[in-house]
């Protein structure tokens, strides 16, 4: 989404300015063109030479320099987006009130593109009424806040005020340029594991974290979809607009939630690692250890993909996932036919960096006619590949 985009990065004088190097690197890797502006205070924390080397362009540090004087209006017209990160309390105030004493503010006042600002400061400064008012003022002008993170601050305190991590900043810009090609769609996504209780203490489960499903939900919402996310037990969550989360624990609960929502959806992506079996009986008390072997009788759980596929209307699309350790494509195609899926996302836990728990994945997209291989990518990038295929299939209907 950022390939070919023209991005201005404004850096103000925070200790978090060192993260601007990571932001520039990420933008360049994504294929963006980058120009960097720095306040004089920012140059005390990171060298302009560093950012010039990474961006491959001269860094402007003063509106009174030849480059700054000649380019501050031109840059405001050139850019597709202006990102100010980190934005200190001082710079927030100057932006909010138009105090034009730096190239950073001069270009902001000339910019006709969307402006994103990512604050960074100590917790008490962030919570001060003056800062809150300045943030509200900037937002009232149509600028976009990339909210602060919480955690350990440079002062040694813990609380709100940390600059958002570069990955989140870059993802925010990526989402801004998403094509909107799922606008009007309502997508059901299942994610995470299920836990099948043995007794009040123990359960049968798997290693799924829900990362892939959450990435799909956030990517689909960024492209305009309304998302019904049915999320199994996991520490992860999402709060992005457009995603409604239903938390479940067992396969039976996930089945009930999926069946209840399916008729209102235009597509389903079943990324959850649903347990195939559950204990026939759940002990009311903790099962005590004994000298002999423990035997458990298991019964089949409902097949969510098969039931959704059987009830699928001509206007609905259904995507399954297959985690296979052998005969992957053959097994995936068998599943595709049995469950009336439109295509399957196939991966293997034996691929380094793929499968449960990783931030990356490597997939194959399998349909009735072809297999498409992809390289190892972040799970968000994998989600975009899956949604690209979903849109392509939708357009052929």
């Amino acid at each position: 989404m950022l390939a070919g985009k023209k991005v201005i990065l404004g850096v103000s004088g925070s200790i978090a300015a060192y993260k601007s190097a990571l932001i520039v690197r990420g933008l360049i890797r994504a294929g963006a063109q980058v120009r960097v502006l720095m306040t004089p205070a920012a140059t005390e924390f990171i060298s302009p030479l560093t950012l010039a080397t990474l961006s491959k362009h001269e860094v402007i540090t003063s509106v009174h320099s030849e480059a700054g004087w000649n380019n501050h209006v031109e840059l405001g017209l050139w850019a597709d987006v202006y990102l100010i990160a980190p934005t200190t309390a001082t710079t927030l105030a100057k932006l909010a009130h138009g105090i034009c004493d730096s190239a950073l503010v001069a270009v902001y006042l000339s910019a006709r593109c969307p402006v994103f600002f990512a604050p960074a400061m100590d917790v008490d400064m962030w919570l001060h009424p003056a800062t809150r008012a300045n943030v509200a003022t900037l937002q009232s002008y149509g600028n976009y806040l990339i909210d602060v993170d919480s955690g350990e601050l440079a002062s040694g305190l813990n609380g709100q005020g940390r600059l958002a991590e570069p990955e989140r900043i870059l993802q925010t810009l990526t989402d801004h340029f998403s094509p909107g090609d799922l606008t009007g769609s309502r997508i059901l996504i299942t994610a995470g594991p299920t836990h099948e209780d043995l007794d009040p203490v123990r359960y049968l489960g798997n290693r799924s974290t829900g990362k892939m499903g959450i990435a799909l939900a956030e990517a689909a919402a960024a492209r305009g979809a309304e998302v019904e996310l049915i999320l199994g037990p996991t520490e992860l969550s999402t709060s992005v607009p457009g995603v409604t989360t239903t938390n479940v624990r067992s396969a039976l609960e996930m089945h009930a939630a999926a069946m209840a929502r399916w008729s209102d959806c235009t597509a389903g992506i079943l990324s959850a690692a649903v347990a195939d079996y559950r204990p026939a009986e759940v002990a009311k008390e903790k099962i005590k250890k004994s000298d002999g072997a423990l035997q458990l009788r298991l019964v089949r759980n409902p097949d969510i993909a098969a039931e959704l596929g059987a009830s699928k209307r001509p206007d609905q699309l259904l995507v399954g996932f297959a985690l296979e350790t052998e005969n992957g494509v053959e097994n995936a195609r068998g599943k595709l036919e049995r469950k009336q899926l439109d295509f399957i996302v196939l991966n293997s836990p034996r691929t380094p960096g793929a499968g449960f728990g990783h931030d990356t994945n490597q997939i194959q997209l399998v349909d009735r006619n072809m297999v498409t291989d992809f390289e190892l990518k972040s799970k968000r990038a994998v989600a975009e590949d899956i949604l690209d295929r979903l849109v392509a299939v939708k357009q052929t209907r």
Side-chain angles (χ1 to χ4, degrees):
M1 304 301 175
L2 292 176
K5 300 300 181 185
K6 301 170 184 175
V7 182
I8 302 172
L9 173 64
V11 183
S12 61
S14 162
I15 193 169
Y18 76 91
K19 293 184 180 180
S20 62
L22 302 176
I23 295 170
V24 173
R25 174 182 280 183
L27 289 168
I28 295 295
R29 283 180 171 174
Q33 303 176 50
V34 183
R35 303 292 188 276
V36 180
L37 311 172
M38 301 178 72
T39 65
T43 65
E44 300 291 327
F45 293 96
I46 185 170
S47 164
L49 178 61
T50 299
L51 299 182
T53 302
L54 292 172
S55 68
K56 302 177 176 60
H57 289 280
E58 179 183 358
V59 172
I60 298 174
T61 58
S62 171
V63 74
H64 301 297
S65 68
E66 183 177 352
W69 184 257
N70 292 333
N71 292 338
H72 73 277
V73 174
E74 179 183 339
L75 278 173
L77 302 178
W78 168 84
D80 294 310
V81 67
Y82 186 6
L83 167 66
I84 305 172
T87 313
T88 61
T90 297
T91 298
L92 268 177
K94 291 178 179 179
L95 294 170
H97 298 284
I99 301 174
C100 188
D101 64 348
S102 68
L104 187 153
V105 179
V107 172
Y108 164 73
L109 294 175
S110 303
R112 297 183 182 176
C113 60
V115 177
F116 289 77
F117 63 101
M121 62 196 73
D122 207 62
V123 57
D124 295 308
M125 298 171 68
W126 174 245
L127 297 176
H128 194 280
T131 302
R132 310 311 303 155
N134 288 332
V135 169
T137 297
L138 283 177
Q139 289 179 297
S140 74
Y141 296 158
N143 302 305
Y144 299 93
L145 168 67
I146 303 177
D147 210 354
V148 297
D149 283 341
S150 295
E152 186 177 356
L153 304 170
S155 65
L157 298 175
N158 269 276
Q160 295 177 300
R162 286 170 59 95
L163 177 68
E165 289 302 316
E167 293 81 2
R168 180 156 73 87
I169 292 173
L170 294 171
Q171 192 58 62
T172 300
L173 296 187
T174 299
D175 290 348
H176 175 74
F177 289 111
S178 290
D181 49 9
L182 290 174
T183 300
S185 299
R186 191 178 189 89
I187 301 180
L188 171 71
I189 297 177
T190 65
T194 63
H195 289 174
E196 311 302 322
D197 288 332
L198 293 168
D199 61 23
V201 176
R202 305 177 183 90
Y203 61 85
L204 298 176
N206 58 59
R207 296 182 177 89
S208 175
T209 61
K211 288 181 178 181
M212 188 69 251
I214 289 174
L216 278 163
E218 293 179 344
R223 294 169 78 148
E226 293 182 45
V227 178
E228 291 285 349
L229 175 63
I230 303 175
L231 184 61
T234 173
E235 295 179 355
L236 304 180
S237 63
T238 181
S239 59
V240 302
V243 178
T244 300
T245 302
T246 300
N247 295 104
V248 298
R249 177 175 174 80
S250 68
L252 290 177
E253 291 176 354
M254 185 170 285
H255 170 264
M259 296 303 294
R261 289 158 179 76
W262 177 229
S263 63
D264 294 329
C265 294
T266 55
I269 305 176
L270 308 180
S271 68
V274 185
D276 293 325
Y277 296 89
R278 69 182 186 277
E281 297 180 357
V282 179
K284 294 182 179 180
E285 305 295 339
K286 179 183 174 184
I287 299 171
K288 296 296 185 180
K289 181 171 59 177
S290 64
D291 292 335
L294 175 65
Q295 293 186 341
L296 298 174
R297 188 169 72 88
L298 304 179
V299 296
R300 281 292 302 270
N301 274 319
D303 191 324
I304 297 173
E307 292 194 32
L308 296 185
S311 63
K312 184 177 66 168
R313 301 187 306 265
D315 64 319
Q316 290 178 306
L317 298 175
L318 190 59
V319 180
F321 269 65
L323 186 70
E324 302 287 347
T325 58
E326 58 181 354
N327 302 322
V329 173
E330 179 183 348
N331 291 334
R333 281 217 165 107
K335 186 175 183 179
L336 187 81
E337 296 294 338
R338 291 192 310 273
K339 303 185 182 186
Q340 303 180 57
L341 305 174
D342 291 281
F343 64 91
I344 278 189
V345 182
L346 172 64
N347 64 349
S348 170
R350 292 178 177 171
T351 303
F356 295 148
H358 295 284
D359 293 325
T360 53
N361 203 357
Q362 184 172 13
I363 65 166
Q364 295 174 291
L365 294 183
V366 181
D367 62 23
R368 290 166 179 79
N369 301 312
M370 65 179 178
V371 177
T372 307
D373 297 322
F374 294 86
E375 63 187 11
L376 186 72
K377 300 181 180 183
S378 72
K379 287 189 171 175
R380 179 56 184 261
V382 171
E384 300 290 357
D385 290 333
I386 295 168
L387 294 174
D388 286 345
R389 176 62 62 87
L390 184 73
V391 170
V393 173
K394 178 181 176 183
Q395 291 172 345
T396 64
R397 294 292 180 90

